[in-house]
Amino acid sequence: MAGRGFAPKDPDKQAGHRTKAEQDRTVLPDLDGPLGPDLPDTYRTEAGELSYVELTRGWYDDWRHSPQVSQFTRNTWRRLLMLAPLVDQYHRNPTKEVMAEIRQNEAKLGATPEDMQRLHWKVPEQQKATGTPAQRRRTMKVV
């Protein structure tokens, strides 16, 4: 399957004048608390109802606290809630196919810096994670 090509250049790193892309970017606000609906306790499968594993609950909570959710509509939240059982399935039995589907859906929600560039969203510097990946892992709280 063909990709989308190169990600747009970050206007902050371009030399010279301010580009139209930079002028049209939406700066995502810093959130005071979680937005959106709570994750339900269970979801239906062909085999019956399952409770979400803690990793899935953490994934959903990360989304609720992310600056991207300031741009979510009711339909976007519906998409995220529809994606949660797939994420739960991946945590129970990881496969490349399930991961690919999650990645494609998360890209539409602005999961990565590249995805946010495509959506013309910008996270202010003070909201970005600081330190090395190892330092960030040490400060993360397991939920």
Side-chain angles (χ1 to χ4, degrees), residues 1 6 10 20 30 38 58-59 61 67 69-70 72 74 77 82 120 122 129 133 137 143:
M1 174 180 232
F6 293 107
D10 186 346
K20 179 157 176 46
D30 195 7
D38 290 334
W59 167 86
D61 194 51
V69 299
S70 66
F72 282 15
R74 286 177 59 185
W77 281 108
M82 287 171 31
H120 300 282
K122 179 180 172 90
R137 278 193 294 277
V143 200

Side-chain angles (χ1 to χ4, degrees), residues 52-101:
Y52 287 105
V53 297
E54 286 304 310
L55 287 170
T56 305
R57 292 183 182 289
W59 167 86
Y60 189 79
D61 194 51
D62 287 346
W63 271 107
R64 289 186 70 202
H65 287 86
S66 73
Q68 294 93 315
V69 299
S70 66
Q71 304 301 304
F72 282 15
T73 64
R74 286 177 59 185
N75 287 336
T76 316
W77 281 108
R78 199 168 287 141
R79 175 185 282 261
L80 193 63
L81 286 168
M82 287 171 31
L83 185 57
L86 202 56
V87 170
D88 200 67
Q89 178 186 342
Y90 178 78
H91 289 305
R92 293 171 189 271
N93 182 25
T95 65
K96 287 190 286 187
E97 294 78 19
V98 172
M99 185 64 228
E101 187 65 30

